[in-house]
């Protein structure tokens, strides 16, 4: 359908070009104007732009995705849905949305970022308005931190100037040089504009393993006390999590003014995954690969995953991170 519509537009445009030679000057100018307008229509149809055609938040879609695709994260799901929905529904937010996602590897932090992008941008993570920074790739050398600060500021300013609804994802915050992220503090503040640019409609997401130990310990304590996992609430985790991250010297958020000035809207804990969640991940991965979901395969793979503590084998060491690569061996 899309190819057919583009073909028709091109056909009309080419026809206009041919007709130009047969008209008087005044008519030629008119026809050229029509041709230019059609050209812009084709360009806008094919090229992503910062408008409602390409950026439109789907609250229902995000809710469905979180419920059906994110396993074992009842706290994170509630926070993400409410935070993103509230922010995207506000035509005049007072500051950018800043989320800091914390938890052990394989628990769903990157996946949630993808779900958010998929339900805001038509192109999802492939959108030119979604920008991902990985500490070891983009900021590898401590000796160049001043250069990184300047480049990061320029990059964010340039892209928000181009599209107010830009999203910036910072992965591996636990490996980022302390002090680097403070360079963007003015962009996360309540300022109406900074150097003529408003950052209030942008979204900043920080992903980190930092704080994972405190999350695991709290979850483990609940389990040892015989309490249901779903009884865990944000209030049981948030304060200790923010303090842990702030005082972690290995974290890019160590003693950062972003925490000190309360510029992070939510510290989102991702709980360690249990055996039942791993089986759900396997079933979902099989479906994603176009395979018929097989409970026997899911059980077998989930049993072979490493768990801790060693004796009780309660939580998956790597969450669901290695499921995709292991699945080929079991099918």
């Amino acid at each position: 359908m899309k190819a057919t519509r583009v073909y028709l537009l091109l056909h009309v445009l080419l026809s206009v070009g041919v007709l130009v030679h047969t008209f008087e000057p005044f008519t030629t100018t008119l026809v050229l104007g029509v041709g230019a307008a059609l050209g812009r229509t084709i360009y806008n149809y094919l090229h992503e732009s910062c408008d409602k055609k390409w950026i439109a938040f789907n609250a229902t879609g995000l809710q469905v995705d979180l419920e059906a695709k994110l396993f074992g994260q009842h706290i994170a799901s509630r926070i993400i849905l409410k935070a993103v929905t509230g922010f995207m529904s506000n035509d005049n937010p007072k500051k950018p949305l800043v989320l800091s996602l914390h938890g052990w590897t394989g628990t769903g932090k990157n996946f949630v970022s993808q779900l958010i992008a998929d339900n805001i941008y038509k192109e999802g993570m492939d959108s030119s308005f979604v920008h991902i920074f990985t500490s070891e790739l983009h900021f590898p050398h401590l000796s160049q931190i001043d250069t990184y600060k300047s480049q990061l500021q320029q990059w964010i300013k340039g892209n928000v100037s181009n599209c107010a609804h830009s999203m910036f994802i910072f992965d591996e915050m636990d490996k980022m040089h302390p002090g680097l992220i403070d360079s963007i503090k003015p962009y996360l503040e309540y300022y109406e504009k900074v150097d003529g640019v408003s950052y209030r409609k942008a979204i900043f997401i920080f992903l980190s393993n930092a704080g994972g130990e405190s999350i695991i310990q709290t979850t483990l304590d609940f389990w040892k006390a015989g309490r249901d996992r779903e009884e865990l609430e944000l209030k049981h985790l948030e304060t200790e999590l923010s303090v842990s991250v702030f005082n972690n010297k290995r974290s890019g958020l160590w003693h950062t003014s972003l925490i000190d000035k309360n510029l992070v809207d939510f510290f989102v804990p991702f709980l360690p995954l249990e055996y039942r969640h791993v089986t759900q991940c396997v079933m979902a991965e099989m479906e994603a690969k176009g395979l018929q979901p097989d409970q026997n395969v899911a059980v077998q793979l989930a049993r072979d995953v490493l768990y801790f503590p060693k004796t009780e084998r309660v939580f998956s060491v790597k969450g669901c991170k290695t499921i995709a690569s292991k699945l080929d061996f079991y099918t």
Side-chain angles (χ1 to χ4, degrees):
M1 180 65 71
K2 179 177 179 179
T4 302
R5 290 176 64 185
V6 172
Y7 173 79
L8 290 173
L9 285 169
L10 288 170
H11 179 72
V12 172
L13 186 58
L14 288 171
S15 298
V16 170
V18 172
L19 289 171
V20 165
H21 297 289
T22 66
F23 293 145
E24 295 298 324
F26 175 78
T27 309
T28 299
T29 301
L30 177 62
V31 173
L32 283 173
V34 173
L38 284 170
R40 287 193 296 273
T41 300
I42 293 173
Y43 178 83
N44 291 334
Y45 185 86
L46 296 174
H47 187 270
E48 185 183 24
S49 54
C50 187
D51 56 39
K52 292 183 179 180
K53 180 181 182 301
W54 296 92
I55 303 175
F57 177 56
N58 183 354
T60 302
L62 179 58
Q63 180 177 4
V64 170
D65 282 348
L66 289 171
E67 291 175 353
K69 300 177 181 179
L70 183 66
F71 307 119
Q73 303 300 349
H74 64 283
I75 299 176
S77 292
R78 284 201 297 264
I79 297 172
I80 295 296
L81 182 61
K82 289 184 178 181
V84 177
T85 300
F87 179 76
M88 293 300 296
S89 301
N90 187 350
D91 292 332
N92 187 31
K94 299 301 181 183
K95 67 180 290 295
L97 177 62
V98 183
L99 302 173
S100 193
L101 315 187
H102 298 268
W104 212 242
T105 183
T107 52
K109 301 185 298 296
N110 290 86
F111 186 55
V112 159
S113 302
Q114 177 188 322
L115 295 183
I116 295 173
D118 286 345
N119 286 284
I120 294 178
Y121 306 94
K122 185 177 180 180
E123 298 294 303
M125 292 293 281
D126 293 327
S127 171
S128 59
F129 308 123
V130 176
H131 313 278
I132 303 174
F133 301 95
T134 303
S135 298
E136 292 187 330
L137 176 62
H138 295 101
F139 318 113
H141 306 295
L142 179 59
S143 60
Q144 298 183 31
I145 189 169
D146 289 336
T147 300
Y148 296 150
K149 288 181 178 181
S150 177
Q151 290 175 340
L152 185 57
Q153 290 174 336
Q154 292 173 16
W155 180 261
I156 292 176
K157 180 179 180 180
N159 282 285
V160 174
S161 297
N162 181 47
C163 183
H165 284 292
S166 292
M167 179 185 291
F168 302 92
I169 302 171
F170 293 83
D171 198 3
E172 300 180 346
M173 284 295 295
D174 48 301
K175 299 176 182 177
M176 181 176 287
H177 305 303
L180 175 57
I181 203 65
D182 276 344
S183 66
I184 67 169
K185 175 182 171 290
Y187 307 151
L188 310 185
E189 286 272 13
Y190 289 83
Y191 301 130
E192 185 173 348
K193 289 185 178 181
V194 178
D195 292 334
V197 179
S198 175
Y199 297 87
R200 290 182 168 186
K201 293 184 178 180
I203 297 177
F204 293 83
I205 302 177
F206 304 131
L207 312 179
S208 177
N209 289 347
E213 292 84 357
S214 66
I215 296 172
I216 288 173
Q217 189 58 55
T218 301
T219 311
L220 188 59
D221 290 343
F222 257 65
W223 178 82
K224 287 180 177 179
R227 301 181 67 178
D228 191 274
R229 178 191 183 94
E230 277 64 36
E231 290 182 45
L232 270 169
E233 298 179 23
L234 181 61
K235 65 182 180 182
H236 297 125
L237 296 155
E238 188 173 35
T239 301
E240 187 175 349
L241 176 58
S242 61
V243 171
S244 173
V245 172
F246 185 77
N247 292 320
N248 188 336
K249 291 185 177 181
R250 294 177 296 171
S251 169
L253 293 172
W254 177 66
H255 284 193
T256 176
S257 58
L258 272 61
I259 296 178
D260 196 35
K261 299 298 183 182
N262 298 310
L263 297 180
V264 177
D265 296 299
F266 291 98
F267 288 92
V268 187
F270 281 70
L271 309 179
L273 300 182
E274 300 175 8
Y275 166 83
R276 57 190 168 118
H277 305 128
V278 176
T279 60
Q280 290 177 301
C281 289
V282 178
M283 296 289 280
E285 185 62 30
M286 293 180 75
E287 187 173 352
K289 288 189 173 184
L291 303 172
Q292 182 66 34
D294 188 326
Q295 185 68 31
N296 292 327
V297 171
V299 167
Q300 185 180 359
L301 198 163
R303 282 177 178 171
D304 291 344
V305 169
L306 294 177
Y307 293 88
F308 69 95
K310 287 185 178 180
T311 52
E312 295 91 345
R313 300 184 81 244
V314 182
F315 302 120
S316 171
V317 172
K318 296 183 179 179
C320 288
K321 190 164 188 174
T322 60
I323 296 303
S325 58
K326 287 179 178 291
L327 186 58
D328 292 335
F329 178 76
Y330 289 84
T331 55

